[in-house]
């Protein structure tokens, strides 16, 4: 059997989309909400010696156990990612394409491997992963107009927005369903010509959620960091990541914390490093249980309320 394991956000979905447009493959899809990242760990126990696995946009560091088990069983693994990797095994059945640069995403790693075969989709992935300047530059190099670049930015944002939620039921589309729907479009601009495409369904839902987020005022703000707290609601989970990106783009000299209430005693955290200093987000969040991420963007799955002041202090100190 072949397994396609991918993060449920824009980068993971579009990375796989490019691969399967170029290299069609019958596979079992394994994904989830954006923060469901121990995906290889979840399925490694069922792998057989002649199985093959593609892993995209999930941290190797968080899947070390599953990776070791899969290789021990004799599975062949293709792994592409830009998150913390930890130890990368030197193994004949592992093909690892890891790039931790803050200005890269998995979609761009796959784009390079495919020599730009589905480059417009790769640009969309970069926009979805909030690599706005990088994506703008790629769009210009590709000869796209400002209007076309804006369309790809909107599409990437919407696909990314769909990945956020406490569970798959919070999302508008199961990431498996969204990936399968997008696979019908070898060129992303075809979605805009199809009035029944998922783009228009996501756009309507996004506009409603984003309007609610924009009405929230900051809980705390300094020259270094701003903190926004969203209520315990499905729309909050869906919009938290994109809202964090919006804040980062609006004030690129500051770090931004978006806290989404999960219960009476804990919050989920999204941290965006200042766009003018895109490093350290993963280091900050890793200081807390259930925290981690990459240089530019990171999070904490469950932070006790009495740790919020400590998180703000750590963030202030890091970026001061």
């Amino acid at each position: 059997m072949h397994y396609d394991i991918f993060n449920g956000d824009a980068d993971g979905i579009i990375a796989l989309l490019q691969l399967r447009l170029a290299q069609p493959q019958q596979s079992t899809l394994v994904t989830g909400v954006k923060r469901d990242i121990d995906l290889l760990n979840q399925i490694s126990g069922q792998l057989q010696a002649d199985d093959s696995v593609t892993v995209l946009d999930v941290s190797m560091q968080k899947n070390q156990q599953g990776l070791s088990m899969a290789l021990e069983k004799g599975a062949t693994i293709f792994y592409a990612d830009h998150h913390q990797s930890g130890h990368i095994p030197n193994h004949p059945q592992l093909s690892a394409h890891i790039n931790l640069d803050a200005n890269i995403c998995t979609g761009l790693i796959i784009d390079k491997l495919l020599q730009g075969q589905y480059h417009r989709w790769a640009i969309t992935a970069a926009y979805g992963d909030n690599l706005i300047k990088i994506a703008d530059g790629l769009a210009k190099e590709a000869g796209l107009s400002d209007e076309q670049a804006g369309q790809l930015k909107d599409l990437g944002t919407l696909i990314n927005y769909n990945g956020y939620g406490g569970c798959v039921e919070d999302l508008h589309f199961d990431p498996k369903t969204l990936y399968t729907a997008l696979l019908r479009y070898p060129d992303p601009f075809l979605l805009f010509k199809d009035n029944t495409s998922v783009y228009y369904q996501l756009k309507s839902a996004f506009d409603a959620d984003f309007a609610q987020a924009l009405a929230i005022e900051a809980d705390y703000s300094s020259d270094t960091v701003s903190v926004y707290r969203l209520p315990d609601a499905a729309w909050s989970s869906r919009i938290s990541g994109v809202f964090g990106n919006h804040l980062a783009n609006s004030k690129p000299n500051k770090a931004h914390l978006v806290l989404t209430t999960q219960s009476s005693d804990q919050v989920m955290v999204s941290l965006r490093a200042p766009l003018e200093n895109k490093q350290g987000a993963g280091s900050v969040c890793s200081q807390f249980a259930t925290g981690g991420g990459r240089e530019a963007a990171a999070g904490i799955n469950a932070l006790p309320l009495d740790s919020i002041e400590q998180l703000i202090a750590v963030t202030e100190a890091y970026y001061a």
Side-chain angles (χ1 to χ4, degrees), residues 16 33 35 74 84-85 93 108 263 288 319:
L16 180 60
V33 299
R35 297 203 177 207
Q84 294 174 341
S85 61
Q93 288 173 235
L108 292 178
S263 65
F288 299 84
Y319 292 109

Side-chain angles (χ1 to χ4, degrees), residues 200-260:
Y200 293 102
Q201 298 173 60
L202 285 173
K203 177 65 174 171
S204 176
F206 171 85
D207 287 346
D209 286 350
F210 194 57
Q212 295 191 76
L214 289 178
I216 302 291
E217 296 185 359
D219 263 15
Y220 172 86
S221 183
S222 70
D223 291 340
T224 306
V225 62
S226 63
V227 182
Y228 288 78
R229 185 164 174 177
L230 304 181
D232 182 8
W235 72 264
S236 298
S237 296
R238 289 195 298 263
I239 205 66
S240 60
V242 173
F243 183 52
N245 291 342
H246 164 75
L247 295 172
N249 291 317
S250 298
K251 296 183 178 179
N253 62 320
K254 296 176 63 171
H256 300 273
L257 287 163
V258 178
L259 314 179
T260 305

Side-chain angles (χ1 to χ4, degrees), residues 13 24 73 81 102-103 111 117 124 148 151 188 191 204 255 271 286:
I13 289 174
K73 288 189 171 188
D81 186 45
N103 292 311
D111 181 53
Q117 193 170 351
T124 307
Q148 288 175 313
Q151 287 179 310
L191 274 92
S204 176
L271 169 61
S286 294

Side-chain angles (χ1 to χ4, degrees), residues 103 127 130-138 249 252 275-276 278:
N103 292 311
Y127 276 125
N130 203 40
L131 300 177
I132 306 301
K133 288 186 179 179
I134 301 298
D136 281 345
L138 292 172
N249 291 317
L275 289 185
E276 296 177 356
K278 290 172 60 174

Side-chain angles (χ1 to χ4, degrees), residues 20 41 134 272 298:
R20 293 295 159 252
N41 292 340
I134 301 298
R272 297 294 181 267

Side-chain angles (χ1 to χ4, degrees), residues 30-289:
V30 181
T31 188
V33 299
K34 180 176 176 63
R35 297 203 177 207
D36 191 0
I37 58 173
D38 62 338
L39 298 171
L40 181 55
N41 292 340
Q42 293 176 22
I43 65 103
S44 58
Q46 66 197 59
L47 294 176
Q48 304 296 321
D50 57 349
D51 288 340
S52 58
V53 184
T54 294
V55 188
L56 300 169
D57 200 41
V58 291
S59 168
M60 185 180 286
Q61 185 177 64
K62 299 292 186 181
N63 287 273
Q64 286 283 331
Q65 181 179 355
L67 179 59
S68 295
M69 183 180 295
L71 292 172
E72 287 172 6
K73 288 189 171 188
T76 301
I77 301 175
F78 173 93
Y79 209 122
D81 186 45
H82 65 128
H83 298 93
Q84 294 174 341
S85 61
H87 173 64
I88 303 176
N90 182 12
H91 196 286
Q93 288 173 235
L94 172 65
S95 176
H97 304 270
I98 309 296
N99 189 333
L100 305 185
D101 191 302
N103 292 311
I104 202 77
C105 65
T106 310
L108 292 178
I109 294 172
I110 297 301
D111 181 53
K112 184 175 181 180
L113 292 173
L114 295 178
Q115 298 181 325
Q117 193 170 351
Y118 294 96
H119 190 52
R120 289 175 173 180
W121 272 119
I123 295 171
T124 307
Y127 276 125
D129 223 36
N130 203 40
L131 300 177
I132 306 301
K133 288 186 179 179
I134 301 298
D136 281 345
L138 292 172
K140 187 175 182 179
E141 289 175 8
L144 301 181
S145 67
D146 289 345
E147 179 182 1
Q148 288 175 313
Q151 287 179 310
L152 296 188
K153 181 180 178 181
D154 286 346
L155 178 58
T157 299
L158 293 176
I159 298 172
N160 205 50
Y161 152 76
N162 184 76
Y164 284 87
C167 58
V168 170
E169 288 71 26
D170 286 345
L171 311 182
H172 296 293
F173 295 95
D174 184 314
K176 296 178 186 177
T177 303
L178 182 54
Y179 158 74
T180 303
L182 294 173
L183 197 58
R184 297 168 45 203
Y185 304 92
D187 185 324
F189 290 111
L190 295 174
L191 274 92
F192 307 114
K193 297 179 180 179
D194 180 358
N195 292 332
T196 66
S197 75
V198 292
Y199 168 80
Y200 293 102
Q201 298 173 60
L202 285 173
K203 177 65 174 171
S204 176
F206 171 85
D207 287 346
D209 286 350
F210 194 57
Q212 295 191 76
L214 289 178
I216 302 291
E217 296 185 359
D219 263 15
Y220 172 86
S221 183
S222 70
D223 291 340
T224 306
V225 62
S226 63
V227 182
Y228 288 78
R229 185 164 174 177
L230 304 181
D232 182 8
W235 72 264
S236 298
S237 296
R238 289 195 298 263
I239 205 66
S240 60
V242 173
F243 183 52
N245 291 342
H246 164 75
L247 295 172
N249 291 317
S250 298
K251 296 183 178 179
N253 62 320
K254 296 176 63 171
H256 300 273
L257 287 163
V258 178
L259 314 179
T260 305
T261 304
Q262 291 185 310
S263 65
S264 60
D265 59 358
Q266 68 181 27
V267 295
M268 180 176 69
V269 178
S270 290
L271 169 61
R272 297 294 181 267
L275 289 185
E276 296 177 356
N277 182 22
K278 290 172 60 174
Q279 50 88 29
S283 298
V284 170
C285 289
S286 294
Q287 297 181 44
F288 299 84

